[in-house]
Amino acid sequence: MPGIAANQASFPRSSAIRQSVPLVTASLWLVLFAVTLIFSVTLCDGRLIFTLDDPYIHLAVADHIRSGGYGVNASEVSSPSSSIIWPYLLAVTETLHLGAFGPLLINAAAAAATVVAFLRILESAELLDPGREKPLLFFVALLAIFSSSAIALPMTGMEHSLHVWATVATFGGLTEAARGRSPTAMHFAALVLLPLIRFEGIAFAVAAMMGFALLGQRRFAAAAAAVTLCAYAAYFARMASLGLPLLPSSVLLKSRIAESGYEGAGVFGSILRNLGDSFADPAGFRLMLLGLALAGAMALLRSDRGALIVCATVLAAIAAHLGFGQYGWFYRYEVYIVALAVLALLYAAARARAVLSVPQWTAATLASIGLAGFASVGYASAALETPFASRGVYEQHYQLGRFAQQLYRRPIAVNDLGLVAWGNPNFVLDLWGLGSERVRKAKRAGRYGPPEIAALADEHHVGVAMIYDSWFAQGVPASWRKVAILHTIPVTGARGDVSFYVTPAAEPLLVAGALKAFASTLPARDRLEMVAP
């Protein structure tokens, strides 16, 4: 009797430990994220600065959505956003006057929700017994934080944290369906949001819809498909009404597969080249290893139809990213699929427990955790780099935005758009093409060079251009004159040196006065070199 009583008393204690694991891990994440955020703000002289310039493009688009436009200039429509829904979410936060805190709050909430959902899925799969396997539980908790890049990713200010949450939540819905339970409204929202947050979310969304149907949730899958198709139809109709391409310029400029398909060119060769690039890229190679490990784990689950379907949907998404996806740009393009692959591998290990001996299962679980840790190492590195990346953006892009909006206050040309365009009432000419459909089309047609650049600058009365010289292989217009070079130390920036050019439309005294004031107010590590005429 005493033994029975002791065992009964242990169950509530074990249950309490089990229920606290996601919350304890979320608390650990909060401490780590807060330290990173404070360090970043400190290095940026008390300012919240994201680790990339790109999120400020979305904020600029959000501001123009609020006023009935779409793009980065009031007088010109363009489609620089890489997401369908993200600019509209930011339009809400901009209406609330949250500024940069808007995307930060959304991303932080999404990161915390991802960590909790990740661990709850594995708890439901009975991966670990908190009473007996606390060391493994500790490592899995760390994986929940780092495989989803929950520390670094929110500080990019982009939509990727929300994308990772939608991916993990959709996987959770699949695991519930595999257990014979109905997915919830949250699972439905996550599934529908997947392809609206990021275009590459289409692959896992389609695979998941098929998985739900095979798991007996046909009406759920059909409803999600219908809502997604309606959302895409509305977005395409909006873009067509504005005279814009159906896909954003960011997708068309950065993805050779998307551009080839949209322009009617053959895509098979582009897919093969992208697949080769995936295997050559360290992140792509690690993703391939995760996929192979997951396929091997599935061989142990032959009698578990539900688990096989769940894992097969993930394998389909991994294959799609290897063939079509991208990597890098501060570890953000592939993070959703790495987090999904890690979660699926641990889920498969949990489901294989019933068919393995204790030593076999322990070895398989340790191997899975080790591989998952290896695949996640880049995101731990990103967390350490984050404060310095924010400082790099502050010392270059923020300073360029300050020059354009506070000192020069005239139409200006750039090749890195975000902080110069957000909140700028003057025209910003994007010479790279994200914020200018005319530039994108000219580049695609192979007729973009100094004459076209000069014509665009003259048309918009641009007096100053701030660009990376190396991005313009054919050079700049002969009528432009280099007057200064800003020397910075970038982390995520493409280049450290930004050249300042004046055009025939410039007012020399105004430019000289603005540059003098600019040089005297730069951060200590920056240097403005004046170029002799």
Side-chain angles (χ1 to χ4, degrees):
M1 294 295 289
I4 294 175
N7 287 336
Q8 289 176 337
S10 70
F11 287 124
R13 185 164 58 251
S14 176
S15 176
I17 294 173
R18 178 185 294 264
Q19 291 174 4
S20 70
V21 168
L23 298 180
V24 169
T25 306
S27 298
L28 173 62
W29 162 81
L30 181 59
V31 171
L32 294 173
F33 179 69
V35 169
T36 303
L37 177 60
I38 291 170
F39 193 16
S40 297
V41 170
T42 301
L43 289 181
C44 296
D45 293 338
R47 295 174 176 84
L48 170 62
I49 303 292
F50 293 122
T51 56
L52 299 168
D53 187 53
D54 296 39
Y56 302 99
I57 300 176
H58 294 260
L59 285 166
V61 174
D63 282 341
H64 288 290
I65 287 175
R66 293 175 58 216
S67 59
Y70 199 87
V72 297
N73 291 298
S75 60
E76 177 186 61
V77 294
S78 60
S79 180
S81 175
S82 53
S83 169
I84 292 176
I85 200 170
W86 187 245
Y88 290 94
L89 294 178
L90 296 189
V92 175
T93 66
E94 286 292 272
T95 301
L96 297 174
H97 305 292
L98 294 177
F101 285 97
L104 180 70
L105 291 173
I106 295 174
N107 284 343
T114 299
V115 170
V116 172
F118 189 106
L119 292 173
R120 284 183 173 166
I121 291 168
L122 295 180
E123 284 182 348
S124 297
E126 300 182 348
L127 174 64
L128 299 170
D129 181 346
R132 294 184 302 166
E133 295 153 350
K134 290 181 181 178
L136 290 182
L137 186 63
F138 172 76
F139 287 113
V140 171
L142 289 180
L143 282 175
I145 294 174
F146 288 107
S147 69
S148 61
S149 192
I151 298 173
L153 202 58
M155 285 297 293
T156 65
M158 299 289 282
E159 68 274 11
H160 299 277
S161 291
L162 192 60
H163 185 208
V164 175
W165 169 80
T167 301
V168 169
T170 298
F171 180 84
L174 287 167
T175 62
E176 288 296 293
R179 298 170 65 193
R181 300 182 179 184
S182 298
T184 66
M186 182 197 70
H187 297 134
F188 184 84
L191 178 57
V192 169
L193 283 173
L194 262 178
L196 303 181
I197 299 170
R198 293 284 298 176
F199 282 90
E200 56 259 55
I202 293 173
F204 184 48
V206 171
M209 290 172 190
M210 295 175 63
F212 278 116
L214 291 172
L215 292 168
Q217 300 292 331
R218 294 182 180 84
R219 297 174 72 176
F220 178 90
V227 172
T228 302
L229 288 173
C230 288
Y232 263 80
Y235 172 75
F236 289 153
R238 172 66 170 156
M239 294 300 101
S241 71
L242 295 173
L244 293 171
L246 301 185
L247 293 177
S249 55
S250 58
V251 174
L252 295 175
L253 283 168
K254 295 178 182 179
S255 171
R256 58 172 171 253
I257 297 174
E259 185 178 39
S260 298
Y262 187 78
E263 299 292 343
V267 299
F268 185 70
S270 296
I271 295 173
L272 289 180
R273 287 192 296 273
N274 202 83
L275 190 62
D277 291 344
S278 290
F279 294 150
D281 189 280
F285 178 74
R286 290 193 287 267
L287 178 61
M288 180 190 67
L289 291 180
L290 287 170
L292 291 174
L294 181 59
M298 289 173 63
L300 303 173
L301 303 174
R302 292 185 296 271
S303 61
D304 191 339
R305 178 177 178 273
L308 281 176
I309 292 172
V310 170
C311 293
T313 63
V314 176
L315 272 184
I318 291 173
H321 193 91
L322 290 173
F324 295 87
Q326 294 181 302
Y327 305 89
W329 211 250
F330 208 47
Y331 311 94
R332 64 188 173 97
Y333 286 139
E334 78 288 344
V335 61
Y336 80 98
I337 193 66
V338 170
L340 177 63
V342 166
L343 180 55
L345 182 59
L346 296 178
Y347 168 81
R351 301 297 297 178
R353 190 170 196 166
V355 298
L356 296 175
S357 66
V358 172
Q360 288 175 329
W361 181 83
T362 301
T365 303
L366 288 173
S368 298
I369 291 175
L371 178 58
F374 172 66
S376 306
V377 68
Y379 308 125
S381 174
L384 295 174
E385 292 179 62
T386 287
F388 306 102
S390 293
R391 181 175 63 179
V393 173
Y394 169 67
E395 291 178 341
Q396 183 182 124
H397 302 87
Y398 179 85
Q399 303 307 321
L400 296 178
R402 187 172 62 85
F403 175 85
Q405 298 186 38
Q406 298 178 20
L407 301 174
Y408 182 59
R409 299 179 183 178
R410 298 288 191 280
I412 203 161
V414 295
N415 57 217
D416 241 2
L417 194 60
L419 274 161
V420 174
W422 181 40
N424 195 338
N426 298 298
F427 190 88
V428 179
L429 173 60
D430 179 16
L431 297 176
W432 185 244
L434 288 179
S436 172
E437 187 62 13
R438 290 175 61 185
V439 171
R440 187 197 69 82
K441 287 181 177 179
K443 290 176 72 173
R444 172 62 185 172
R447 50 178 176 77
Y448 184 62
E452 290 76 20
I453 292 173
L456 285 168
D458 289 344
E459 178 181 339
H460 295 291
H461 311 291
V462 169
V464 173
M466 305 182 297
I467 62 173
Y468 302 137
D469 284 333
S470 60
W471 280 23
F472 298 87
Q474 298 181 50
V476 300
S479 59
W480 289 14
R481 179 169 57 88
K482 184 184 293 190
V483 292
I485 303 172
L486 176 64
H487 298 285
T488 69
I489 305 173
V491 175
T492 56
R495 298 292 185 273
D497 292 346
V498 182
S499 295
F500 284 64
Y501 288 89
V502 294
T503 76
E507 302 173 48
L509 291 179
L510 174 65
V511 175
L515 287 173
K516 182 178 180 181
F518 187 52
S520 66
T521 54
L522 285 171
R525 301 196 328 154
D526 285 1
R527 181 171 62 89
L528 187 68
E529 175 190 353
M530 304 304 296
V531 177

